[in-house]
Amino acid sequence: MMTERLTPNDIAHAAALLRAGSLIAFGTETVYGLGADACNADAVAAIYAAKGRPSFNPLICHFADAQMAFRYVTRTPLAEKLAAKFWPGPLTLVLPRAKNCPVSQLAGAGLPALAVRVPGHHTALKLLTEFGGPVAAPSANRSGRMSPTSAAHVLSELDGRIAAVLDSGPCAVGLESTVLDLSGPLPVILRPGGVSVEALEAEIGPIQRASGDSNAPASPGMLLSHYAPTLPVRLNATSAAADEALLAFGPPLPGAALVFQLSETQNLRQAAARLFEGLHVLDAEGAKRGLTHIAAMHVPNHGLGLAINDRLTRAASPRHDISGKNII
Ligand code: TXA
Ligand code: MG
């Protein structure tokens, strides 16, 4: 299949492709999503196929606005408050499916609750408005690989496997949305992301973090091996060797063959926006030069640092196949 390169001028065509059941990668403020009509199970199945996902993880449904989102899930006062404050933006809410919700069960992995969000990106919102319904979209990468933050990243993994990529520039936030489960008695963070836990807590009070136990992922997408560059990642590096690529945060450690700076001034927002770009660059260039590791410098564990460390820990964890056996 030829993958069409679309620009923000091609919104009508992009929406028509979605209506026809085709897959379109599109930029959001967080990462590029691989979108399909959420109500068309065949189209949704094509997402899993293109990604090569080993299991049917539930997908996030994207909407043009909160009013549209709340037609597909059962709203709560908390959900309305958070939607008013953070949408459009990098927050995903998990809520019980509305009665007769037409979203395919495959998109929701058969679960009683559905993840919904309104992305904070002009082009994405235009596409969603033009399409007029829910667009299921996981990050537009092959399963177990890093999330793409540019159209070029998308094409490097999915060229020839999807109908089109809508190039809307690099992603400003650079890491995925925060996933907050509001379907139970208490709100639970399933995945740290672009909205910090502190910002959420400022609105609604203390929130439970999902268990950090890697053997019992709170959300099926939270498998430890989810965000994996090819080169092994070494965390909290305090020195760097001549055969290593360094992911620097602040003044770089001396001695590495290759350095990618997340943030010279140790700004966590900037580091978050550059994280996947850094891992992509070090992985590709490091492999070319025969380097052995990506050595990642320590990033403090507060604010967006929590989400950065979540991604880095996954990138550094041993790779498992679905039976749980180590494959590297
Ligand atoms: O920023 C983002 O969220 C990006 C952009 C494209 O919107 N999307 C994204 O999708 O990261 P994906 O599929 O890579 O991750 C979705 C996360 C997974 O951890 C998944 O398990 C969780 O959301 N999730 C989705 N639906 C869920 C549900 N019904 N219950 C619990 N967790 C759910
Ligand atoms: Mg993903």
Side-chain angles (χ1 to χ4, degrees):
M1 161 191 323
M2 266 284 291
T3 298
E4 288 184 63
R5 275 72 166 163
L6 304 181
T7 74
N9 295 325
D10 303 317
I11 295 293
H13 179 54
L17 286 172
L18 285 175
R19 261 178 235 118
S22 299
L23 302 186
I24 301 254
F26 63 99
T28 76
E29 83 283 32
T30 58
V31 300
Y32 272 69
L34 179 54
D37 177 353
C39 299
N40 177 341
D42 287 343
V44 173
I47 292 179
Y48 295 109
K51 283 180 68 82
R53 271 206 172 167
S55 62
F56 293 144
N57 290 345
L59 306 178
I60 297 170
C61 286
H62 297 70
F63 297 89
D65 55 46
Q67 206 189 345
M68 195 196 286
F70 288 144
R71 288 210 289 270
Y72 292 80
V73 288
T74 306
R75 66 178 93 190
T76 65
L78 218 51
E80 284 181 322
K81 186 170 185 194
L82 290 171
K85 173 78 185 178
F86 294 105
W87 282 354
L91 175 66
T92 293
L93 301 177
V94 176
L95 289 161
R97 289 170 74 108
K99 228 177 148 204
N100 301 323
C101 171
V103 169
S104 73
Q105 287 291 337
L106 184 56
L111 297 171
L114 196 64
V116 297
R117 92 176 187 98
V118 177
H121 191 290
H122 180 68
T123 309
L125 290 176
K126 269 175 65 183
L127 175 65
L128 292 165
T129 303
E130 176 80 20
F131 178 67
V135 172
S139 50
N141 49 279
R142 302 289 294 269
S143 181
R145 307 279 303 166
M146 289 172 293
S147 297
T149 50
S150 70
H153 287 171
V154 173
L155 287 167
S156 73
E157 302 220 340
L158 295 174
D159 198 5
R161 299 174 72 91
I162 60 177
V165 57
L166 176 57
D167 187 346
S168 45
C171 303
V173 174
L175 87 194
E176 295 93 334
S177 60
T178 302
V179 180
L180 182 68
D181 187 354
L182 294 179
S183 68
L186 289 172
V188 180
I189 299 272
L190 298 182
R191 179 179 73 182
V195 172
S196 71
V197 180
E198 289 87 340
L200 292 173
E201 287 182 330
E203 290 303 307
I204 63 171
I207 304 174
Q208 232 175 298
R209 275 69 165 168
S211 135
D213 180 356
S214 59
N215 294 319
S219 143
M222 292 189 76
L223 297 171
L224 259 183
S225 64
H226 203 66
Y227 303 92
T230 317
L231 283 183
V233 176
R234 193 163 70 76
L235 297 176
N236 295 316
T238 51
S239 64
D243 61 354
E244 289 186 318
L246 182 72
L247 189 66
F249 183 71
L253 296 166
L258 190 65
V259 177
F260 186 95
Q261 181 58 262
L262 287 177
S263 172
E264 190 77 59
T265 57
Q266 303 194 323
N267 176 312
L268 288 169
R269 262 199 70 87
Q270 184 183 33
R274 290 170 58 76
L275 178 64
F276 286 118
E277 175 71 17
L279 288 171
H280 273 285
V281 166
L282 293 182
D283 199 30
E285 193 54 32
K288 229 184 274 171
R289 299 199 202 173
L291 303 185
T292 61
H293 289 89
I294 294 172
M297 288 173 65
H298 174 75
V299 174
N301 215 17
H302 58 79
L304 287 180
L306 193 64
I308 293 172
N309 283 322
D310 175 75
R311 303 300 184 276
L312 285 174
T313 306
R314 284 162 209 279
S317 76
R319 320 285 155 77
H320 300 281
D321 68 13
I322 17 182
S323 69
K325 286 195 303 256
N326 273 354
I327 52 172
I328 59 164

